Amino acid sequence: MRKYLIAGNWKMNLVPSEAKKFAKQLVESIKNVDKDVDVMIAPPFTALDAVAQEIKGSIIKLGAQNVNDNEKGAFTGEVSADMLLDLGVEYVIIGHSERRTIYKETDELINKKISFSLKKGLKVVFCVGELLSERESGKTNDVVKTQVVGGLKNISADDMKSIVIAYEPVWAIGTGKVATPEQAEEVHAFIRNTIKDLYSKEVSDNITIQYGGSVTDTSVDGLMSKENIDGALVGGASLKVDSFTRIAKFQK
Ligand code: 13P
């Protein structure tokens, strides 16, 4: 059966020296999580090396927040999959709404990044989610389906074992306005069903689907009590040792 994944997306926060200290505290604090829970943190690129050293030998896995879709070459300012792998990165977050909206990443580019990352042996946290205006006009399922289908184009059933989907409603990100467990569960069930239609019941039963958007140590248990919610992708609350630890030790 599927594993839970609690992940911290640090976004553009913490310089390497701060990140190193923070990771050291986290390793101490987060030791005894349940065996069926994976924990991952995704620091900025500049802090990956320092954090990798600190979490070595711990249960915490390393993630990156972005990757380029090319092998290497003239792509000024970009970071390749090999560069991440060489530092011990295991996961990469792709399709985050901040990259979709601020940096205009399309489903097509997201699909290229996913394909290339999988080819390289990275695991992918693939983010989808609707804007407030889309929710209010009843388009949530359509939007999410388009993102899921577009992002997963030509991805094989076997490769789906290396993908986690993160449902992050854009209106809940960084707003303090967490989706209710019922709102989240409804979309998670829809995503799982979409995966079943695209692949098979086996693939859909086994895929981990995280919720993200203003998750805190007080909202996590309610969300995790839902059948189709298999983890959390946490922004703000992942930057505090106590709250991220409590989230990783959620009560179902
Ligand atoms: P917040 O938890 O700060 O709302 O951010 C969620 C998020 O975007 C994680 O990727």
Side-chain angles (χ1 to χ4, degrees):
M1 265 317 271
R2 51 189 188 256
K3 254 192 135 176
Y4 300 111
L5 176 65
I6 300 293
N9 174 7
W10 294 4
K11 308 193 178 181
M12 199 171 73
N13 294 291
L14 304 186
V15 301
S17 55
E18 291 168 333
K20 190 175 166 67
K21 267 188 226 155
F22 185 85
K24 193 184 174 89
Q25 291 170 15
L26 209 55
V27 166
E28 271 311 303
S29 155
I30 222 156
K31 272 177 189 157
N32 306 312
V33 294
D34 283 350
K35 282 197 179 47
D36 55 356
V37 180
D38 281 333
V39 179
M40 180 269 270
I41 51 177
F45 291 137
T46 48
L48 283 171
D49 198 13
V51 169
Q53 306 305 325
E54 289 302 328
I55 64 175
K56 208 177 265 171
S58 81
I59 60 154
I60 302 173
K61 297 166 193 290
L62 193 60
Q65 298 173 22
N66 189 19
V67 67
N68 188 270
D69 58 313
N70 294 282
E71 181 73 41
K72 62 171 164 178
F75 300 99
T76 301
E78 290 292 293
V79 170
S80 76
D82 281 340
M83 293 170 186
L84 299 177
L85 289 161
D86 196 61
L87 291 175
V89 170
E90 210 176 306
Y91 288 88
V92 63
I93 299 171
I94 296 179
H96 192 280
S97 72
E98 286 148 21
R99 299 225 49 98
R100 289 178 187 265
T101 53
I102 308 171
Y103 300 102
K104 311 287 177 236
E105 290 196 6
T106 59
D107 289 328
E108 194 187 353
L109 176 61
I110 289 162
N111 176 245
K112 281 187 187 158
K113 289 186 175 193
I114 293 176
S115 300
F116 193 69
S117 299
L118 293 169
K119 192 176 122 200
K120 283 288 174 178
L122 286 161
K123 292 178 188 147
V124 170
V125 174
F126 166 38
C127 306
V128 297
E130 82 287 2
L131 303 170
L132 182 61
S133 55
E134 292 165 338
R135 172 162 284 262
E136 285 176 346
S137 54
K139 292 193 193 128
T140 299
N141 286 359
D142 287 348
V143 169
V144 167
K145 185 168 181 176
T146 301
Q147 292 173 340
V148 168
V149 171
L152 296 178
K153 196 170 157 208
N154 296 327
I155 303 296
S156 71
D158 199 45
D159 272 342
M160 289 300 285
K161 291 178 190 148
S162 303
I163 294 193
V164 168
I165 296 178
Y167 169 58
E168 298 205 303
V170 181
W171 48 271
I173 295 178
T175 57
K177 224 171 114 186
V178 62
T180 64
E182 291 69 30
Q183 281 175 321
E185 171 66 12
E186 199 180 338
V187 183
H188 280 234
F190 174 76
I191 292 172
R192 202 176 299 287
N193 208 39
T194 303
I195 297 298
K196 190 172 109 203
D197 292 345
L198 286 175
Y199 295 92
S200 65
K201 179 156 184 342
E202 193 191 342
V203 172
S204 75
D205 280 345
N206 285 314
I207 192 155
T208 295
I209 308 179
Q210 301 178 292
Y211 167 80
S214 296
V215 175
T216 61
D217 46 5
T218 52
S219 58
V220 68
D221 294 350
L223 290 159
M224 293 302 295
S225 71
K226 294 295 181 190
E227 189 187 333
N228 287 293
I229 303 184
D230 313 316
L233 182 55
V234 187
S238 75
L239 294 167
K240 293 181 208 115
V241 172
D242 290 351
S243 46
F244 190 60
T245 302
R246 174 62 182 79
I247 291 169
K249 295 183 181 175
F250 65 86
Q251 309 288 315
K252 202 165 158 77

PDB file of all heavy atoms in Angstrom, residues 30 54 176 191 238 244:
ATOM      1  N   ILE A  30      13.153  15.121  14.720  1.00  0.00           N
ATOM      2  CA  ILE A  30      12.199  14.390  13.891  1.00  0.00           C
ATOM      3  C   ILE A  30      12.481  12.879  13.837  1.00  0.00           C
ATOM      4  O   ILE A  30      11.945  12.171  12.992  1.00  0.00           O
ATOM      5  CB  ILE A  30      12.166  15.043  12.478  1.00  0.00           C
ATOM      6  CG1 ILE A  30      10.745  15.154  11.948  1.00  0.00           C
ATOM      7  CG2 ILE A  30      13.075  14.359  11.500  1.00  0.00           C
ATOM      8  CD1 ILE A  30      10.584  16.222  10.920  1.00  0.00           C
ATOM      9  N   GLU A  54      24.141  17.582   6.767  1.00  0.00           N
ATOM     10  CA  GLU A  54      23.482  17.472   8.079  1.00  0.00           C
ATOM     11  C   GLU A  54      22.513  16.306   8.176  1.00  0.00           C
ATOM     12  O   GLU A  54      22.370  15.700   9.231  1.00  0.00           O
ATOM     13  CB  GLU A  54      22.735  18.770   8.411  1.00  0.00           C
ATOM     14  CG  GLU A  54      23.612  19.955   8.726  1.00  0.00           C
ATOM     15  CD  GLU A  54      24.555  19.715   9.897  1.00  0.00           C
ATOM     16  OE1 GLU A  54      24.199  18.967  10.840  1.00  0.00           O
ATOM     17  OE2 GLU A  54      25.670  20.273   9.870  1.00  0.00           O
ATOM     18  N   GLY A 176      -2.996  31.259   4.890  1.00  0.00           N
ATOM     19  CA  GLY A 176      -3.561  30.893   6.181  1.00  0.00           C
ATOM     20  C   GLY A 176      -4.963  30.308   6.024  1.00  0.00           C
ATOM     21  O   GLY A 176      -5.617  29.930   6.997  1.00  0.00           O
ATOM     22  N   ILE A 191      -8.688  13.209  -8.197  1.00  0.00           N
ATOM     23  CA  ILE A 191      -7.372  12.979  -8.816  1.00  0.00           C
ATOM     24  C   ILE A 191      -7.090  11.473  -8.885  1.00  0.00           C
ATOM     25  O   ILE A 191      -6.638  10.950  -9.906  1.00  0.00           O
ATOM     26  CB  ILE A 191      -6.254  13.708  -8.029  1.00  0.00           C
ATOM     27  CG1 ILE A 191      -6.416  15.226  -8.170  1.00  0.00           C
ATOM     28  CG2 ILE A 191      -4.862  13.256  -8.506  1.00  0.00           C
ATOM     29  CD1 ILE A 191      -5.492  16.048  -7.286  1.00  0.00           C
ATOM     30  N   SER A 238       6.914  24.623   7.628  1.00  0.00           N
ATOM     31  CA  SER A 238       8.093  23.743   7.565  1.00  0.00           C
ATOM     32  C   SER A 238       9.353  24.499   7.979  1.00  0.00           C
ATOM     33  O   SER A 238      10.429  23.913   8.088  1.00  0.00           O
ATOM     34  CB  SER A 238       8.270  23.161   6.154  1.00  0.00           C
ATOM     35  OG  SER A 238       8.774  24.133   5.254  1.00  0.00           O
ATOM     36  N   PHE A 244       6.951  21.654  12.129  1.00  0.00           N
ATOM     37  CA  PHE A 244       7.183  20.644  11.089  1.00  0.00           C
ATOM     38  C   PHE A 244       7.290  19.252  11.716  1.00  0.00           C
ATOM     39  O   PHE A 244       6.799  18.267  11.152  1.00  0.00           O
ATOM     40  CB  PHE A 244       8.425  20.979  10.260  1.00  0.00           C
ATOM     41  CG  PHE A 244       8.569  20.109   9.035  1.00  0.00           C
ATOM     42  CD1 PHE A 244       7.589  20.094   8.044  1.00  0.00           C
ATOM     43  CD2 PHE A 244       9.678  19.286   8.866  1.00  0.00           C
ATOM     44  CE1 PHE A 244       7.701  19.287   6.917  1.00  0.00           C
ATOM     45  CE2 PHE A 244       9.804  18.472   7.741  1.00  0.00           C
ATOM     46  CZ  PHE A 244       8.809  18.475   6.766  1.00  0.00           C
TER      47      PHE A 244
END
